[in-house]
Amino acid sequence: MKSLNIGMVGYGFMGRTHSNGYCQANHFFDLEYKPVLKAVCARNKDKAQAFADQWGYESVETDWRELLKRDDIDAIDICTPNNLHAEIAIAAAEAGKMVLCEKPISMDTAEGERMCEAVEKAGVKNTVWYNYRRVPAVSLAKQLIDEGRLGKIYHYRANFLQDWTISEDVPQGGAATWRLDAEAAGSGVTGDLLAHCIDTALWLNGSITDVSAVTETFVKERLHAETGEKKEVKIDDACAFHCHFENGSLGLFESTRYARGHKALYTLEINGQNASIRWDLHDLHRLEYFDHSDDSIVRGWRSVHISDGDQPYMNHWWVPGLNIGYEHTFIHQVADFLKSLETGEPCEPTFRSALETQKVCDAVLASASERAWKNV
């Protein structure tokens, strides 16, 4: 078995999900490559060491530049705030390292383009962690669409609703709430939540051609967690947009952090000429399916339990009827990345593919700012 030596930058929530994926992939998938947790990098050495001890990383660095100099690191996994993605990814590619980057790929399209050019020039493997593609139910939706079961697509709608920033006392900036600081995050719900919806939509339904959007920032000022000063909030708390897809269908997307009662409600529905499908993250192991060709006396929505071995990814897990969860999507992405090293195929979404999502996000924000339709 060949080793793939991992150097991870960052140790927060995503650092844990990725580390679990590296630890578990070879237990369930037959692969030629095995991840080796060589080093974790973060500014706080004590916290980084505690993370390394918990997850089994062999060493700790406090400067990602030092990590890139190491000959024993094959791949750099970027789990940092968004404003650090580009600098680290470009430098990693120039150092000949494979790059796995958290979403969204970049702060904006121009920055993302530089990242794409860097990995393509260096010829290094790359992928972006849009993990919802690896939910077996969503993968099955892709299979059904590609088989033509839905027929011509008319509508695609998705939303991603949370409620964790409603209180005006929630600060912006710092390790816990950097997503509320535009300098670190770039945007608010558009880049954080809608980016997931957009990536899945592009994968399932094809390219988006133009958008019309509205955004709102409900709390205009918040204390900054690091400086203690009250600063203007420049990210979007809520966003809604509609769009045209290249295949002629219409799209409707909504995201907010002000939907009281919703912690992470991500749903999607696709309506076609022959059939419809819908999925809910809160019931992620089920895909709802409506087939108009059913006899009228039994025609209706059916709930398909995704647990059988002939459904995507499920032959690697338990016996039929038993569920898997959120953490398995990252295990699947690790397994797919390792398999891509064997086959030479890209592990989607690559940087170039993920840049399409960034282009849509930028068009959405521009449309909301200018109150006009924007081409992607």
Side-chain angles (χ1 to χ4, degrees), residues 4-252:
L4 180 71
N5 295 336
I6 304 294
M8 178 178 288
V9 187
Y11 59 84
F13 170 41
M14 286 297 105
R16 288 186 290 140
T17 63
H18 295 192
S19 296
N20 184 65
Y22 294 131
C23 291
Q24 296 295 339
N26 291 90
H27 292 155
F28 295 94
F29 291 78
D30 183 16
L31 301 161
E32 290 182 8
Y33 285 83
K34 180 180 177 62
V36 177
L37 304 183
K38 276 291 178 182
V40 62
C41 178
R43 290 175 295 179
N44 188 309
K45 185 174 183 179
D46 291 340
K47 290 183 178 180
Q49 187 62 61
F51 184 88
D53 293 341
Q54 183 174 18
W55 287 100
Y57 284 85
E58 296 178 9
S59 61
V60 167
E61 297 284 355
T62 57
D63 185 341
W64 60 263
R65 296 169 185 82
E66 295 301 316
L67 191 65
L68 299 190
K69 294 177 183 177
R70 291 176 49 166
D71 294 332
D72 62 342
I73 299 295
D74 301 315
I76 299 296
D77 190 349
I78 304 171
C79 299
T80 67
N82 304 339
N83 62 329
L84 298 176
H85 288 184
E87 184 180 11
I88 299 173
I90 292 170
E94 291 174 347
K97 312 295 186 185
M98 306 177 199
V99 191
L100 302 93
C101 186
E102 250 307 319
K103 50 64 58 184
I105 185 175
S106 57
M107 297 283 277
D108 56 40
T109 298
E111 191 175 80
E113 182 62 45
R114 294 195 297 274
M115 295 169 69
C116 291
E117 291 172 357
V119 296
E120 289 164 0
K121 180 179 179 181
V124 295
K125 281 281 186 180
N126 57 92
T127 194
V128 177
W129 294 85
Y130 278 111
N131 60 297
Y132 292 111
R133 291 188 180 203
R134 266 79 182 188
V135 176
V138 177
S139 294
L140 180 59
K142 170 71 169 171
Q143 178 182 324
L144 298 178
I145 293 167
D146 289 350
E147 289 175 355
R149 297 197 188 206
L150 273 65
K152 179 178 174 58
I153 305 298
Y154 295 122
H155 293 283
Y156 189 109
R157 63 185 65 87
N159 61 21
F160 208 140
L161 311 180
Q162 296 182 340
D163 70 356
W164 65 278
T165 65
I166 290 179
S167 172
E168 295 184 6
D169 295 332
V170 176
Q172 62 174 311
T177 51
W178 61 264
R179 287 178 175 83
L180 303 188
D181 183 352
E183 293 182 3
S187 67
V189 296
T190 300
D192 185 27
L193 303 180
L194 276 178
H196 275 301
C197 301
I198 294 165
D199 173 77
T200 308
L202 296 178
W203 187 52
L204 295 178
N205 198 41
S207 298
I208 291 173
T209 59
D210 56 357
V211 301
S212 177
V214 293
T215 61
E216 185 57 69
T217 303
F218 295 113
V219 176
K220 309 300 184 184
E221 292 184 327
R222 293 183 185 271
L223 290 178
H224 197 280
E226 293 180 335
T227 67
E229 297 178 3
K230 183 165 282 192
K231 295 180 59 177
E232 180 186 359
V233 177
K234 297 182 179 179
I235 56 93
D236 44 303
D237 288 326
C239 178
F241 75 91
H242 54 169
C243 66
H244 295 97
F245 284 86
E246 195 171 76
N247 64 8
S249 61
L250 298 181
L252 182 61

Side-chain angles (χ1 to χ4, degrees), residues 119 178 319 331 337:
V119 296
W178 61 264
V319 297
I331 300 172
F337 186 79

